[in-house]
Amino acid sequence: MKKKLISAVAVLLVLTAGIFIYHRYAVSETPEQLILYGNVDTRQVTLGFRVSGRIQEILVDEGDRIKTGEVIARLDSAPYRSELELARAKLAEAEAELTKRRNGNRPEEIARARAAVRGFTAALRNANAQHKRNEELVKTQAVADKEYDETLARRDQTAAELEFAQAQLQLLERGYRIEEIRAAEAQLAAAQAAVSARELDLKDCTLTAPEAGVVQTRIKEPGAIVAAGTGVITETLDTPVWIRAYVPEPLLGRIRPGMEVEIYIDSQPDRPAGTGRIGFISPVAEFTPKSVETATLRTDLVYRIRIVAENGAGNLLQGMPVTVKIVPAEQ
C-alpha cells in the first residue's frame, strides 16, 4: 500500500511538472500559427556624470517616466566655470601672440633701430677721422702713444656697436622666423583644445536621459560628492524590449529571422499588447527546463530565440510572461 502511494505521488509530481513546462515553455502548433510562451527582457542603464563633483540637485525620483534628453541631475558647476574662464584667458593670450608674430615688428621699433644705425655710423666716421689724425701725429711724437691707443680702441668699439645695430635692424625688418610663427600656432591650437575640454566638462555637469524610460533606482542624493563615472540614477529603457522564448528542434524549420509576431499579455489576452520580429535564433541547442532532472524531459532539445518588440504603450515590463503568436513562413 505504501509503495502504491509513493508511486501515485511520483506520477502526480511528473504530471505537475509537465503542466508547468507546458504553460511556461510549451509551444502550441496549428496549421496556421505557432504559439510560443516566453518572458520580456528589458535593458537597464546606470547613469552618472563624466566628471567628478558635488551633486547640486536631482530632478527625478524612482518610478518617474523620463524622456530622451530630459535633465535629471546637475553637479555644482562653479569649479568648472572658473577653469573655463582661465582657459579662455590663455586662449586670448595665444591669439595675441600669434597675431604679433604674423604681423612682425612695429614700424616704430624699426625706425628706432634705423636711427641707432645712423648714429653709430656717424660716430664711427668721427672715430676713424680722429684716429687717422693721431696716426700722423704719433709719428712726430706730437701725441702720446696712450692717446693713440685710446682713439684706436674707440674706433674699434664704435665699429662693433654699428655692426650690432645693423644686425638688430635687419632682424626687425625680416620679422619672426617661420619656426616661431609655427610654435605660436601650436600654442594657439593647444589653448583652443583646452577651452573645448573645459566647455565639455561644464556641459557634463548636467546629466540627461539618453533614452526614454522609467527611473528604476535613485542611487545618490544632493550634496553627495561623486567621482567620475559613479552611478547616480538607474533607468529602465522603454524600447526596444526583447522576448525570450524557446522552440523545439522539430519546429525550428518553421521560423526564420525577420518574421513578424504578435505579443499578448495575460491582462489583455484578446488583443496584442505589441508587435515584433524574430531577431535571433540561437545556433546552440539547450535542455529545458534546466531545473527538471527526469531523463525523459531532459532529452527534449530546444533553441532559444529572441524577438525584438515594439513597446510604444509601455505595457511590456521586465520579466513579464507573454504569449507570442507567429505566422510561419510558407513552405
Side-chain angles (χ1 to χ4, degrees), residues 292-306:
V292 178
E293 298 298 336
T294 63
T296 302
L297 293 175
R298 286 188 62 81
T299 57
D300 294 333
L301 292 178
V302 295
Y303 289 80
R304 178 171 55 89
I305 69 171
R306 186 178 68 176

Side-chain angles (χ1 to χ4, degrees), residues 77-111:
S77 61
Y80 295 100
R81 293 184 185 278
S82 298
E83 291 181 4
L84 177 57
E85 291 303 318
L86 177 60
R88 286 173 174 169
K90 291 183 177 180
L91 174 60
E93 180 183 4
E95 289 174 340
E97 182 65 21
L98 178 59
T99 301
K100 168 188 171 182
R101 294 183 183 276
R102 283 177 173 171
N103 291 339
N105 297 289
R106 291 178 296 178
E108 294 81 0
E109 294 176 325
I110 296 175

